[in-house]
Amino acid sequence: MNAEQVMDFSNFPQAKRIGVLGFGGLGQAAAKVLAPKREMILVTVADKKGYAYSPEGLNAKECIATYHSQGSVGYLDIFGTLTNYSIQDLIESGHPVDGYFLALPNLPNDFIASVAQQFIKSGWRGVLVDAIKRTSAVEQLLKMKEELQAAGITYMTGCGATPGLLTAAAALAAQSYSEIHQVEITFGVGIANWEAYRATIREDIAHMPGYSTETARAMTDADVEALLDRTNGVLTLENMEHADDVMLELAGICPRDRVTVGGVVDTRNPKKPLSTNVKITGRTFEGKISTHTFTLGDETSMAANVCGPAFGYLKAGIGLHQRGIHGIFTAAEIMPKFVK
């Protein structure tokens, strides 16, 4: 094990060194979210063709401009490295990084789990956070609990908007009730150009009838364009396989079959087609049936509602790691911490 890879959080400066794996629309938004933060500093980003690392911090605007103009942050002057094995090479480089946000598409369905395995095998110790969606994908990670504990890794899973922010809201709202009858999550997403979020849109398509993670992954951009032309740019998703269910069940809130997730994604209009909300219906100790509703502001974008919570959970994970608590945790178990 590289000595540089064994991290002693007590010796770190106040600003934690953060990496972002994946530099599509979500990864670029994550870099923008981190830019003004004082408690976290972006030191590394990776895309398919390379990575960039600077111990003093990367300039998000320069990273994004380089990615768009040359196709990879690996071309970034001084700090860039071109490689077809960017994640593996970055992990094995031994560069000090306190925590990573895995802003990666989970296509195929075991991809995020395979990345976690790379971290385990490398000897790196720190905090990982993802915004993974599928129940089956989260279940794969949950099975790795003992491996993550032994590796000294604190892993926060399902920590985006849904699952994530709305799952946590459901867990909090459930405290009013003696029994939860239903948790209904409905989301609305509006983006001006689907190509800025290619991977996210493909993951959404994978939830549609007649599609799977394999078929969605195999679709060319032209295939996606053709599908969107047929639907006027709108994807309507119902009864999705969404990890909110297993997370709320694991937290003891309610059985997973009482959780439903669905929504509408407009790929040609930045305005949300409907408001994102979670409704928690239950019976109080007095025997009354009631519903709590938590609604996100329409002005907050998908990127804001995913990246903000992800870094809040990353901060919470760092706090756990400092206390020697390793393993895997979900957004329904741990409250995120606001990152200044």
Side-chain angles (χ1 to χ4, degrees):
M1 183 186 301
N2 188 323
E4 201 174 18
Q5 291 176 305
V6 181
M7 299 190 173
D8 178 5
F9 281 85
S10 64
N11 294 325
F12 280 173
Q14 183 176 4
K16 302 304 179 186
R17 295 166 292 197
I18 305 302
V20 173
L21 299 186
F23 210 57
L26 190 61
Q28 291 171 39
K32 293 177 183 178
V33 169
L34 279 180
K37 302 295 185 182
R38 300 189 307 273
E39 295 179 319
M40 292 183 177
I41 180 171
L42 180 68
V43 296
T44 188
V45 296
D47 56 49
K48 287 183 179 180
K49 300 178 181 178
Y51 68 87
Y53 179 88
S54 171
E56 303 303 319
L58 294 169
N59 183 296
K61 291 183 179 179
E62 290 180 1
C63 289
I64 294 170
T66 299
Y67 180 85
H68 284 292
S69 64
Q70 296 181 265
S72 174
V73 295
Y75 288 102
L76 195 66
D77 286 343
I78 302 175
F79 307 121
T81 298
L82 290 169
T83 169
N84 290 325
Y85 305 95
S86 57
I87 295 177
Q88 178 180 330
D89 290 349
L90 173 57
I91 294 172
E92 295 180 353
S93 69
H95 292 314
V97 180
D98 301 345
Y100 284 93
F101 173 30
L102 309 185
L104 298 162
N106 192 47
L107 297 172
N109 197 42
D110 62 351
F111 182 63
I112 298 295
S114 71
V115 172
Q117 285 290 351
Q118 290 184 59
F119 276 100
I120 291 171
K121 293 177 181 177
S122 74
W124 178 83
R125 298 170 68 89
V127 182
L128 301 175
V129 64
D130 70 42
I132 207 167
K133 299 178 182 179
R134 282 188 175 270
T135 300
S136 53
V138 167
E139 287 176 327
Q140 291 175 39
L141 290 163
L142 292 173
K143 292 178 182 178
M144 297 167 58
K145 179 178 180 179
E146 293 183 359
E147 291 181 82
L148 291 164
Q149 287 177 329
I153 293 174
T154 304
Y155 195 117
M156 314 296 292
T157 189
C159 296
T162 176
L165 177 60
L166 296 182
T167 329
L172 184 62
Q175 307 310 311
S176 296
Y177 304 111
S178 299
E179 181 186 13
I180 303 302
H181 293 167
Q182 183 179 25
V183 176
E184 182 180 4
I185 295 174
T186 305
F187 62 83
V189 174
I191 54 177
N193 178 11
W194 83 269
E195 292 180 333
Y197 289 92
R198 285 184 175 91
T200 299
I201 296 304
R202 281 186 171 82
E203 285 196 71
D204 287 336
I205 291 172
H207 287 279
M208 296 175 64
Y211 292 87
S212 66
T213 54
E214 291 75 19
T215 56
R217 183 189 183 201
M219 293 175 73
T220 65
D221 285 358
D223 293 333
V224 175
E225 287 281 7
L227 171 62
L228 295 177
D229 284 341
R230 294 196 299 272
T231 64
N232 197 30
V234 175
L235 301 177
T236 301
L237 308 167
E238 299 177 346
N239 296 318
M240 301 171 71
E241 182 204 334
H242 238 246
D244 305 85
D245 58 3
V246 66
M247 290 163 57
L248 289 170
E249 182 176 78
L250 186 65
I253 304 299
C254 64
R256 67 179 70 189
D257 60 7
R258 298 184 185 182
V259 181
T260 59
V261 181
V264 178
V265 180
D266 189 339
T267 64
R268 297 176 179 174
N269 189 340
K271 183 179 179 180
K272 290 183 180 181
L274 51 86
S275 296
T276 296
N277 66 83
V278 56
K279 296 179 180 179
I280 307 92
T281 301
R283 176 179 54 81
T284 69
F285 76 95
E286 302 103 333
K288 295 181 179 181
I289 306 301
S290 179
T291 298
H292 287 330
T293 302
F294 176 70
T295 303
L296 302 185
D298 288 342
E299 295 76 18
T300 57
S301 65
M302 173 189 69
N305 291 330
V306 172
C307 296
F311 289 122
Y313 280 107
L314 183 55
K315 180 177 177 180
I318 288 174
L320 294 175
H321 198 283
Q322 288 175 323
R323 293 157 54 193
I325 300 173
H326 309 139
I328 187 163
F329 305 89
T330 76
E333 298 174 274
I334 305 293
M335 285 292 290
K337 304 292 184 181
F338 186 73
V339 183
K340 298 177 182 178

